Amino acid sequence: MKRVIALVTALTLGFTTFSAPHPSAVAKTPRAAKAGKTPNVIVIVADDLGYADISAYGATRISTPNIDRIGLEGVRFTDAYVSAPVCGPSRAGIQTGRYQGRFGYEYNNGPPQRDVEENLGLPPDELTMGEALGRQGYQTALIGKWHLGSNDAYYPTNRGYQAFVGFLTGDTAYMRLDHPDLRYAPTADVALPRRTPQSQIIEGPGRTVVHNEDEYLTDYFGRRAAEYVTQAARSDRPYFLMLTPNAPHTPLMVTRKYYERFPQIADERARVYAAMISALDDMVGEVLKAVDASGEADDTIVVFLTDNGCASYIPGLCSCEPLRGGKLSHYEGGVRAPMMVRWPAKLKPGQVNREVVSSLDIFPTALAAAGGTLPKDRVYDGVDLTPYLTGEKAGPPHDLLAWRRRPLASIRIGDWKLWKSLDGQYTLLFNLKDDLNETTNLAASRPDKLRELEAAFDRWAKDMQDPRWPSRPPRDQDVCGTPFKLPI
């Protein structure tokens, strides 16, 4: 009988693998036994969002009160980093808590046809956050963009996510092109955005196509996420939701509702981009509203971050302030992320944390909060941040952070950062404390620091594998006035 009830619930929500009991089968009050012990976990990963694209990090053209609220009611990190300046590898790091170089995920795994034909994706022997928390008894769901492989071995419901609705590739159209409320700003790097068989919105283990073309995709993901939170909170088990909207990734598409919020922005692409971020903020607001209504806000960890920096190769979208560069580059604008966490039961509100932290830390932090321990059969590069945020531990969580997408390599130790091309084309050394915008190259004047960071990078790189597949042809990109060839 319980299985029948669970199936009816799953079909009602559209999550064909969602196993929470029907509302009539459980109490409607918050589960007191959970309080302070096994928190729910929600991780929201935006797509190509710049460090200064939300108001908590200095945006003046865009107001993001819902996203900002996570930091105001918890912790805002000033020096948080993702493990790659591009989507797929960064998401592989978030999902595993490990440098993706440890398993050869150095480059994006697209385009879609190549992804399928060459069987590319997150290696099946890598443990995802969904699998780790599922082992702790969590309900698990992923809503949004996957981008970690399209074949069955990589499919989210085979990688620890009991429920899935979203798309598998790097991007997709936000709604049908002839919708009367749609505003679309074409860009040179994106073909006419249509949903192909590879980029359809699908759900469940059967890959059922979702025909939501009349609903703006960011709104749709927010609605489905809020529904999931509401339903999952009625279970006697905690839940883990990985929410990965594709906003504000190209194609630059938004509905009139959001577009009309920015009449002061003259540039069409910049206006659509700002409107897409405003829609993202509304989506976060819907999820937070559902969490509050569930009665479990105190015992729900909410993390917000982006997978990499703004798509600076599209003119008019990104600023060079306060950080230089964006997506694909190893400047701070490519790898430093807006990141915030709220957990009222544990963390004092209004904290600003200035230590160097990583998106790799989310996995171990969530697992420790769930009462689990990291497996001993592999190296984890992320750390549990909770004791650092509560004051139980002092000092920086990381001695160094490093990045490699050949020919690019970079490393940060303390205030110093090295970015170099392994083929010898350039070597850049910056002191971020004095030069956050990375405008003064100190490689020639500080050979001692250069040698120190180069040696540290070489030691780090010895533990990384060769790429499992090659990069696509590099992109010629002007990064704040400096030309580069950047791998994709």
Side-chain angles (χ1 to χ4, degrees):
M1 183 62 183
K2 290 182 179 178
R3 291 182 180 178
V4 173
I5 291 173
L7 178 59
V8 171
T9 301
L11 293 175
T12 300
L13 286 179
F15 289 114
T16 55
T17 56
F18 181 44
S19 58
H22 190 275
S24 63
V26 297
K28 299 290 178 67
T29 56
R31 44 186 184 272
K34 257 196 63 185
K37 295 181 181 178
T38 50
N40 306 311
V41 178
I42 299 174
V43 178
I44 305 171
V45 184
D47 198 356
D48 289 7
L49 181 72
Y51 184 86
D53 281 341
I54 55 178
S55 43
Y57 286 81
T60 56
R61 61 177 177 169
I62 308 167
S63 176
T64 53
N66 296 300
I67 297 172
D68 296 352
R69 180 185 160 197
I70 298 171
L72 290 171
E73 297 177 358
V75 182
R76 177 171 63 88
F77 298 94
T78 64
D79 290 49
Y81 289 87
V82 291
S83 59
V86 69
C87 305
S90 175
R91 290 163 190 268
I94 293 169
Q95 281 286 351
T96 62
R98 289 158 43 85
Y99 282 117
Q100 62 278 359
R102 291 194 182 276
F103 43 89
Y105 206 127
E106 194 156 316
Y107 305 113
N108 263 341
N109 54 308
Q113 186 174 350
R114 174 201 188 200
D115 189 32
V116 172
E117 291 177 353
E118 299 183 19
N119 195 35
L120 309 182
L122 183 67
D125 58 351
E126 287 297 323
L127 186 72
T128 69
M129 287 184 68
E131 289 169 316
L133 292 176
R135 292 176 182 180
Q136 295 299 118
Y138 275 63
Q139 308 166 80
T140 61
L142 189 141
I143 298 175
K145 172 176 170 175
W146 177 239
H147 206 191
L148 294 173
S150 298
N151 291 339
D152 285 347
Y154 312 117
Y155 192 71
T157 60
N158 295 325
R159 302 307 303 271
Y161 292 96
Q162 299 153 6
F164 167 65
V165 59
F167 63 101
L168 303 176
T169 56
D171 57 57
T172 191
Y174 285 80
M175 64 194 313
R176 62 183 174 89
L177 289 176
D178 59 350
H179 194 285
D181 282 340
L182 179 69
R183 297 301 298 246
Y184 168 49
T187 55
D189 69 307
V190 178
L192 191 64
R194 300 185 185 278
R195 289 189 186 170
T196 66
Q198 294 87 3
S199 64
Q200 286 279 15
I201 308 303
I202 56 178
E203 68 176 301
R207 302 185 183 222
T208 303
V209 176
V210 176
H211 291 289
N212 68 320
E213 293 86 353
D214 286 327
E215 184 175 5
Y216 186 59
L217 189 55
T218 307
D219 293 346
Y220 175 78
F221 286 148
R223 177 170 65 81
R224 295 299 297 265
E227 289 172 356
Y228 181 83
V229 166
T230 300
Q231 184 61 31
R234 294 183 175 127
S235 170
D236 60 357
R237 293 189 295 141
Y239 63 84
F240 166 49
L241 169 62
M242 176 71 79
L243 176 56
T244 55
N246 50 320
H249 194 290
T250 53
L252 299 181
M253 305 172 77
V254 76
T255 52
R256 190 174 301 276
K257 168 186 173 181
Y258 300 109
Y259 180 84
E260 291 180 349
R261 292 178 180 177
F262 298 94
Q264 74 279 12
I265 299 179
D267 181 85
E268 180 71 2
R269 281 186 292 203
R271 182 173 178 176
V272 171
Y273 180 73
M276 293 172 75
I277 295 172
S278 190
L280 173 69
D281 186 68
D282 276 15
M283 183 211 74
V284 171
E286 288 300 307
V287 175
L288 294 179
K289 187 187 302 182
V291 172
D292 292 343
S294 74
E296 296 186 349
D298 282 355
D299 287 307
T300 300
I301 301 171
V302 180
V303 181
F304 179 89
L305 73 158
T306 183
D307 61 349
N308 51 249
C310 174
S312 55
Y313 44 81
I314 301 175
L317 293 194
C318 310
S319 169
C320 290
E321 300 290 344
L323 305 181
R324 180 171 293 266
K327 182 179 179 179
L328 304 182
S329 84
H330 283 224
Y331 280 128
E332 291 290 282
V335 291
R336 192 186 291 210
M339 180 168 146
M340 295 173 278
V341 59
R342 185 185 84 167
W343 186 7
K346 280 277 189 180
L347 304 179
K348 293 180 181 179
Q351 296 185 58
V352 178
N353 187 287
R354 302 186 186 281
E355 298 289 357
V356 173
V357 300
S358 171
S359 60
L360 304 177
D361 300 330
I362 298 170
F363 183 121
T365 301
L367 185 58
T373 56
L374 294 171
K376 306 298 184 185
D377 63 343
R378 64 197 71 195
V379 174
Y380 280 87
D381 301 293
V383 301
D384 176 14
L385 291 178
T386 303
Y388 294 94
L389 302 179
T390 59
E392 298 170 53
K393 287 186 177 181
H398 296 275
D399 294 329
L400 64 84
L401 291 178
W403 299 263
R404 188 185 72 186
R405 292 174 61 253
R406 281 176 282 199
L408 305 183
S410 57
I411 186 169
R412 175 173 175 175
I413 300 177
D415 294 326
W416 290 89
K417 178 181 170 186
L418 167 71
W419 174 19
K420 65 187 298 184
S421 175
L422 296 175
D423 58 13
Q425 291 190 32
Y426 50 84
T427 299
L428 307 172
L429 179 69
F430 304 106
N431 184 309
L432 297 177
K433 182 180 179 180
D434 300 330
D435 181 23
L436 182 60
N437 199 243
E438 299 173 283
T439 57
T440 304
N441 182 9
L442 301 175
S445 62
R446 290 299 305 269
D448 56 328
K449 277 294 175 184
L450 178 61
R451 288 192 297 269
E452 176 189 336
L453 268 67
E454 286 183 326
F457 178 84
D458 290 343
R459 290 192 297 270
W460 173 87
K462 288 179 180 178
D463 292 329
M464 302 299 119
Q465 292 186 10
D466 289 337
R468 287 180 176 241
W469 54 83
S471 169
R472 285 181 275 172
R475 179 191 292 271
D476 290 315
Q477 183 174 336
D478 181 288
V479 183
C480 297
T482 304
F484 291 99
K485 277 190 175 293
L486 301 178
I488 299 175

